[in-house]
Amino acid sequence: MPGVNRSRLRIIKSIQRATITFAAATTATATITSVDTTKALLSHLGVVAGAGNSFTNDSIRLELTNATTVTATRAGASGTPIVGFEVIEYF
């Protein structure tokens, strides 16, 4: 591959996509297949609002808590939003 710095290429090892549904709580989690957290990227894929939701309840932060857990956190505790996420692990 002329002109491409091969030392900067990142080859994907795995891709996992899932959703987290909130009940009446400010945090919720999802379990994923184990990844190396130093080689993984977590992406927020969007939120579907549930009944009674507001901006406070739908503003959701995601964190790759450990090798097998994604944690979603929001300010409010009402409504039942669903948040999508993707974890890409690289070699």
Side-chain angles (χ1 to χ4, degrees):
M1 298 171 68
V4 174
N5 182 349
R6 292 179 188 209
S7 66
R8 292 188 146 292
L9 292 178
R10 297 179 73 187
I11 299 172
I12 294 173
K13 182 176 180 181
S14 68
I15 299 175
Q16 300 180 61
R17 293 184 186 101
T19 59
I20 297 174
T21 302
F22 280 88
T26 57
T27 62
T29 61
T31 301
I32 61 170
T33 302
S34 185
V35 296
D36 180 341
T37 58
T38 66
K39 297 178 180 179
L41 173 68
L42 172 63
S43 297
H44 190 295
L45 299 180
V47 177
V48 175
N53 285 4
S54 66
F55 181 77
T56 301
N57 295 319
D58 290 341
S59 297
I60 298 172
R61 181 178 67 89
L62 294 174
E63 177 183 3
L64 185 56
T65 313
N66 58 47
T68 60
T69 307
V70 174
T71 301
T73 306
R74 62 182 177 156
S78 65
T80 55
I82 301 168
V83 60
F85 68 88
E86 173 181 79
V87 177
I88 300 176
E89 181 183 19
Y90 296 92
F91 281 101

